Amino acid sequence: MIFVTGGAGFIGANFVLDWLAQSDEPVLNYDKLTYAGNLNNLTSLNHDKRHVFIKGDINDNAQLLALFFEYQPRAILHFAAESHVDRSIHGPAAFVTTNVNGTFNLLEAARSYWMTLEGEAKTDFRFLHVSTDEVYGTLEKDDPAFSETTAYAPNSPYSATKAASDHMVRAYHHTYGLPVLTTNCSNNYGPYHFPEKLIPLIIANARAGKDLPVYGDGLQVRDWLYVKDHCTAIRRVLEAGKPGETYNVGGWNEQTNISVVHTLCDLLDELQPKAQGSYRDQIKHITDRPGHDRRYAIDARKIEKELGWKPQETFSTGLRKTVEWYLANDAWTKQVQSGEYLKWVAMQYEDEDEV
Ligand code: NAD
Ligand code: DAU
């Protein structure tokens, strides 16, 4: 079986659903169920014996060790993290606790377990660490895209903690020989994306008749990848990646934020038109994110050449599927927009004047 951390979050849940749609190999899904973890992402697996869910914190060494020895996973796929840049600006401590200390603790538990394995079980074991392109910092307009050899230069508390975790993962390979793999992916979008992040936030606010908040001039660039393409890349790296290597994952799809917001408004105008006017009328430019990285772009040639992975969705097909998913899954959005979410929205967006 495989052991997945953070499998009730956005990418982790998509990964678990995809995995069990393609394979009968069971999944132990280990998640703390923070505000971002949601078992409603996994309701289709409610009666599926291949999926075992355990609520737990990656900082709990004793629980991790007990589970590793009981279930004997052949791989650990580490998605669990605090993942929202804006939250890391308001409260970095939780990011250090989970992303740095938690990853360290998970590595320690994995190492203790792995050391007891023998023969093929030991050589075939994998620890796959899911990381981000944000560890590379920011690009100027004409800079080449981030490659696996770009120097780390994280700028936010979130990216600094992810960078620290990447370094620990690397060190566990070089020092102890733990067979690790790291993926550094660009911005994901798709079903089950928590509506604190740009794309689901814009869809939810547009439909609720609220402002569509665009930080600063909206000309920051992100490189968007449909979440299921990220899941395919992770499966491919697990299957054929070389231990100790890192793989950049991206969709060759750079977009300015304002262009993403315009495209979302146009899709909603087509699929669920307002009585009057366009959703674009709700756009409001607000104060920029402190330390906002201007541009991310991924050079995905290594994973394409060495592992034969390529994204299947274009931005146009992926974004349409995403908007259609949100239109068909109102109940999901309403459920996640509960107490904790409302507090966050009030703190981050209320009293924001137009800039
Ligand atoms: P998310 O915030 O939606 O989900 C994170 C999950 O981790 C949640 O289910 C949460 O309950 C769980 N979790 C948090 N702290 C935990 C702890 N201490 N112990 C156990 N579980 C804990 O995040 P996501 O967007 O799905 O991102 C998943 C991973 O992918 C993260 O490591 C993130 O850095 C990375 N990543 C995300 C993106 C993106 O665009 N979302 C892009 C590249 C990489
Ligand atoms: O690049 C990969 C990263 O992508 C992941 O590692 C992170 O976990 C993930 O959250 C994401 O980080 P971003 O900060 O790029 O994503 P977010 O959706 O928060 O913002 C996307 C862009 O939109 C960014 O430039 C900030 C801007 N933005 C965001 C919000 C929430 C706005 O203009 N308005 C908003 O209200």
Side-chain angles (χ1 to χ4, degrees):
M1 67 141 44
I2 59 166
F3 189 103
V4 169
T5 72
F10 163 49
I11 303 174
N14 274 286
F15 181 84
V16 170
L17 292 169
D18 266 22
W19 180 270
L20 292 174
Q22 313 207 12
S23 142
D24 277 334
E25 185 175 7
V27 175
L28 193 149
N29 185 347
Y30 185 83
D31 195 298
K32 186 179 174 184
L33 296 181
T34 67
Y35 78 92
N38 183 0
L39 287 177
N40 285 335
N41 299 350
L42 300 162
T43 43
S44 61
L45 300 176
N46 275 352
H47 303 290
D48 193 325
K49 291 202 166 50
R50 299 170 304 164
H51 179 239
V52 179
F53 181 81
I54 307 266
K55 184 174 176 191
D57 187 328
I58 52 169
N59 279 295
D60 186 341
N61 194 267
Q63 189 181 26
L64 287 173
L65 279 175
L67 290 170
F68 291 163
F69 285 106
E70 180 182 350
Y71 288 93
Q72 302 273 312
R74 67 155 175 114
I76 294 166
L77 289 97
H78 178 33
F79 294 86
E82 288 292 336
S83 70
H84 191 31
V85 173
D86 292 322
R87 285 185 191 256
S88 82
I89 295 167
H90 285 278
F95 289 71
V96 175
T97 303
T98 285
N99 300 357
V100 183
N101 299 346
T103 301
F104 161 67
N105 188 53
L106 185 68
L107 282 163
E108 270 296 272
R111 180 167 76 95
S112 305
Y113 162 66
W114 173 73
M115 297 276 286
T116 67
L117 300 177
E118 285 173 359
E120 271 182 16
K122 187 167 190 181
T123 44
D124 292 352
F125 180 82
R126 296 288 182 269
F127 182 105
L128 191 153
H129 175 57
V130 179
S131 192
T132 170
D133 59 358
E134 301 203 9
V135 297
Y136 299 119
T138 187
L139 294 168
E140 299 292 336
K141 192 166 171 287
D142 297 319
D143 285 345
F146 301 131
S147 76
E148 288 78 1
T149 53
T150 302
Y152 274 34
N155 289 319
S156 71
Y158 163 69
S159 54
T161 58
K162 289 297 290 188
S165 67
D166 291 10
H167 291 324
M168 285 306 285
V169 170
R170 175 188 160 90
Y172 270 62
H173 177 69
H174 282 265
T175 307
Y176 306 114
L178 189 71
V180 306
L181 298 156
T182 298
T183 53
N184 293 90
C185 188
S186 61
N187 286 63
N188 284 213
Y189 66 99
Y192 306 113
H193 204 181
F194 194 79
E196 65 184 354
K197 309 280 171 68
L198 180 71
I199 288 180
L201 179 82
I202 295 297
I203 298 171
N205 280 16
R207 299 181 67 212
K210 295 184 179 160
D211 291 339
L212 308 184
V214 173
Y215 297 157
D217 61 10
L219 295 177
Q220 307 82 4
V221 172
R222 297 291 182 268
D223 183 349
W224 294 95
L225 181 70
Y226 191 61
V227 64
K228 288 181 194 305
D229 280 322
H230 186 190
C231 295
T232 313
I234 291 169
R235 281 204 304 276
R236 187 68 194 130
V237 171
L238 178 66
E239 187 177 59
K242 193 165 160 248
E245 292 290 315
T246 69
Y247 297 89
N248 281 1
V249 184
W252 301 103
N253 174 42
E254 292 183 53
Q255 304 278 340
T256 61
N257 291 340
I258 192 67
S259 148
V260 170
V261 174
H262 283 156
T263 309
L264 287 169
C265 290
D266 297 349
L267 276 166
L268 285 166
D269 283 340
E270 178 197 326
L271 297 169
Q272 193 177 79
K274 302 211 293 188
Q276 264 191 333
S278 161
Y279 290 99
R280 287 191 185 209
D281 304 336
Q282 292 166 230
I283 293 173
K284 182 175 167 189
H285 287 263
I286 62 170
T287 312
D288 209 348
R289 173 185 277 175
H292 199 170
D293 284 338
R294 196 69 180 164
R295 174 176 165 239
Y296 303 144
I298 279 281
D299 177 342
R301 280 177 294 180
K302 178 176 174 182
I303 187 169
E304 287 175 8
K305 277 202 196 114
E306 293 186 13
L307 305 184
W309 172 86
K310 263 196 194 311
Q312 297 302 305
E313 298 290 343
T314 64
F315 194 49
S316 164
T317 59
L319 207 59
R320 180 173 287 273
K321 278 188 185 172
T322 303
V323 172
E324 285 171 348
W325 186 87
Y326 279 94
L327 292 178
N329 288 279
D330 259 339
W332 183 89
T333 306
K334 288 215 170 71
Q335 179 266 327
V336 295
Q337 288 178 317
S338 59
E340 205 285 335
Y341 179 78
L342 294 176
K343 270 194 245 155
W344 165 253
V345 169
M347 179 169 74
Q348 175 73 356
Y349 297 103
E350 258 169 32
D351 307 324
E352 269 293 340
D353 291 330
E354 192 129 16
V355 291

